[in-house]
Amino acid sequence: MLELKSVTAGYGRTMVLDDVSITIPTGKAASIMGHNGAGKTTLLRVACGLLPVKRGQVLLDGEDVTKLRPSARVRRGLGYVPQGQLCFPQMTTLENLHLVSTERGAVDGVLDTFPALRAQLGRRAGLLSGGQRQQLSIARTLLTRPRLLILDEPTEGIQPNVVEEIEQVITRLAERGDLSVLLVEQHVGFALRATDTYYVLESGRITSSGEGGDGAESAVRAAMAV
């Protein structure tokens, strides 16, 4: 579904990614892990079209989208949830959702995915907890019916019980078979449980990769300790 082929990218003359290649097949979930400053968010910005590449290619479903704008990638099925639990704070939860879709069935579908939001539909989004705002941010993106969902540190600043809910949602979404997930995450255990494969990014290069699952945690921690 998503391929980055030998991508080099950065800001001005400073290169952040150096010859990075990753693949996320359709219906699979992959995680990108690494220390702060490793280039994780830069990689996501490249995938979304928010940052041009210096060299390499970005492919969606085999189509070269390297030079396409973010809006064109969204039309091809890309959904992006950036860091920060973004919402429109003065609008209610329901109004935030209706900015994307007023279709009753679609809204009910994302509320089934995040049932905790049902009791908050009339509440201003700025008054929600951090975990509720993160769920709202993901729900709003799911209303675009993406085929590739990109999540940038969805557990940052989130209480543990909501982290578990988000993990379960990511797992269920990937299990549908028609949605790919790319996850950037600091919490190693969460990332490995929620995804099928992992990549470790350090100083702009992929230094380790493999299958997810609990058994991979020691290998990932060893790779990140180097």
Side-chain angles (χ1 to χ4, degrees):
M1 173 60 182
L2 172 69
E3 290 182 84
L4 271 61
K5 290 188 171 182
S6 300
V7 165
T8 296
Y11 306 91
R13 296 183 179 180
T14 303
M15 293 299 102
V16 178
L17 301 178
D18 181 13
D19 195 32
V20 169
S21 296
I22 65 170
T23 300
I24 298 94
T26 299
K28 298 294 184 179
S31 53
I32 307 291
M33 288 173 283
H35 298 295
N36 289 334
K40 303 185 299 297
T41 295
T42 298
L43 186 152
L44 297 191
R45 289 174 59 82
V46 165
C48 295
L50 296 169
L51 181 69
V53 304
K54 301 294 183 181
R55 291 187 299 275
Q57 290 180 299
V58 181
L59 288 83
L60 285 174
D61 277 343
E63 177 188 2
D64 188 346
V65 298
T66 309
K67 296 183 179 180
L68 292 186
R69 295 177 179 273
S71 57
R73 301 188 195 196
V74 170
R75 288 194 293 271
R76 284 162 173 76
L78 187 150
Y80 177 42
V81 182
Q83 288 177 285
Q85 305 141 24
L86 299 182
C87 65
F88 294 92
Q90 298 303 317
M91 302 176 70
T92 67
T93 298
L94 184 59
E95 287 169 341
N96 269 266
L97 296 174
H98 280 174
L99 284 173
V100 181
S101 175
T102 57
E103 183 184 332
R104 177 73 176 272
V107 173
D108 282 345
V110 297
L111 292 175
D112 287 342
T113 301
F114 294 107
L117 294 178
R118 285 192 181 275
Q120 309 295 334
L121 292 179
R123 193 176 190 191
R124 283 194 299 177
L127 299 178
L128 299 178
S129 69
Q132 291 166 340
R133 287 196 304 274
Q134 185 64 282
Q135 291 180 74
L136 175 58
S137 183
I138 299 173
R140 200 171 53 219
T141 303
L142 289 176
L143 282 173
T144 67
R145 294 187 172 91
R147 290 182 296 114
L148 169 66
L149 179 64
I150 296 178
L151 302 163
D152 193 356
E153 300 207 20
T155 68
E156 183 181 32
I158 303 301
Q159 55 268 43
N161 63 312
V162 179
V163 169
E164 184 176 344
E165 292 176 16
I166 292 174
E167 178 184 331
Q168 292 170 355
V169 166
I170 293 171
T171 301
R172 289 198 303 269
L173 290 173
E175 287 175 347
R176 286 182 357 192
D178 61 348
L179 177 70
S180 303
V181 178
L182 176 58
L183 167 72
V184 158
E185 184 54 55
Q186 291 276 15
H187 292 86
V188 174
F190 166 86
L192 293 174
R193 289 191 301 271
T195 58
D196 304 288
T197 59
Y198 70 85
Y199 296 89
V200 175
L201 187 66
E202 292 297 333
S203 300
R205 297 182 66 88
I206 299 295
T207 58
S208 179
S209 62
E211 294 185 357
D214 292 332
E217 185 165 349
S218 60
V220 170
R221 292 194 181 278
M224 292 176 63
V226 174

